[in-house]
């Protein structure tokens, strides 16, 4: 009798785990269902940037703002508020957001249609504005804000 009870409990526990996982997936999907189409587009753009970057994925300032929102959602905090005291240019803020999304220099260069060396120079200018030392990593700093 004890073996039957143990098997029954194991079956119930397994089924409970399955249902819990399905509920979590449903909750995640329902959050996306309430999401405006513009933010869904921004999510797809971020995914494309990670998988197949190309120049022109993000076409206008509205799309940039939506991408900023998505990156803030996924990576925490509002980066633009955290950096507002440093008077970064719009292009520098875009670069910071792309760094926050953990995109490599080559991907950022493709997106901006510049060389990876130009990305490094831009990062150095941002480091100077943020008063980071030469040994500090801009990428690490941006990702930890």
């Amino acid at each position: 009798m004890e073996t039957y009870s143990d098997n029954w409990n194991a079956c119930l526990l397994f089924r409970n785990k399955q249902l819990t996982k399905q509920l979590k997936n449903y909750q995640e999907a329902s959050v996306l269902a309430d999401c405006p189409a513009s933010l869904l587009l921004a999510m797809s753009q971020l995914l494309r940037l990670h998988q197949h970057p190309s120049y022109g994925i993000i076409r206008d300032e509205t799309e940039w703002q939506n991408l900023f929102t998505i990156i803030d959602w996924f990576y925490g905090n509002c980066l633009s508020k955290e950096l507002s005291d440093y008077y970064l240019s719009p292009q520098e803020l875009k670069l910071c957001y792309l760094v926050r999304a953990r995109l490599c220099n080559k991907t950022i260069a493709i997106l901006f249609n510049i060389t990876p060396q130009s990305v490094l120079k831009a990062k150095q200018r941002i480091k100077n504005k943020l008063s980071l030392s030469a040994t500090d990593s801009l990428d690490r700093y941006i990702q930890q804000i």
Side-chain angles (χ1 to χ4, degrees):
M1 186 70 174
E2 191 171 304
T3 303
Y4 175 78
S5 178
D6 291 342
N7 286 341
W8 182 249
N9 286 337
C11 287
L12 287 175
L13 182 62
F14 178 75
R15 186 62 182 146
N16 187 26
K17 287 180 182 178
Q18 284 181 321
L19 291 172
T20 302
K21 184 177 179 182
Q22 286 176 346
L23 178 62
K24 183 180 177 191
N25 290 341
Y26 173 75
Q27 288 169 335
E28 290 173 358
S30 67
V31 166
L32 290 178
D34 293 336
C35 193
S38 60
L39 293 183
L40 290 175
L41 174 65
M43 281 186 236
S44 71
Q45 288 169 324
L46 182 60
L47 183 62
R48 284 178 53 206
L49 285 171
H50 279 283
Q51 294 179 340
H52 304 290
S54 65
Y55 177 70
I57 288 178
I58 302 156
R59 295 178 292 272
D60 58 34
E61 288 306 311
T62 302
E63 288 186 359
W64 275 107
Q65 291 303 317
N66 291 333
L67 183 65
F68 290 176
T69 300
I70 294 301
I71 292 172
D72 286 338
W73 280 3
F74 289 148
Y75 298 98
N77 294 331
C78 181
L79 189 59
S80 56
K81 287 182 185 175
E82 297 288 335
L83 297 175
S84 63
D85 293 339
Y86 297 102
Y87 304 105
L88 298 178
S89 72
Q91 191 75 357
E92 290 170 331
L93 187 60
K94 289 174 186 176
L95 190 138
C96 288
Y97 265 95
L98 297 174
V99 166
R100 180 71 169 262
R102 292 173 168 71
L103 296 174
C104 68
N105 291 344
K106 183 178 177 184
T107 299
I108 294 170
I110 290 169
L111 181 62
F112 288 148
N113 198 26
I114 59 176
T115 66
Q117 189 64 30
S118 296
V119 173
L120 289 173
K121 289 177 184 177
K123 284 183 173 183
Q124 185 60 45
R125 285 190 298 273
I126 294 170
K127 275 178 67 171
N128 291 339
K129 284 187 175 184
L130 299 178
S131 301
L132 298 176
S133 72
T135 59
D136 290 332
S137 166
L138 176 69
D139 291 31
R140 201 170 316 123
Y141 177 80
I142 293 296
Q143 291 166 3
Q144 291 176 353
I145 293 180

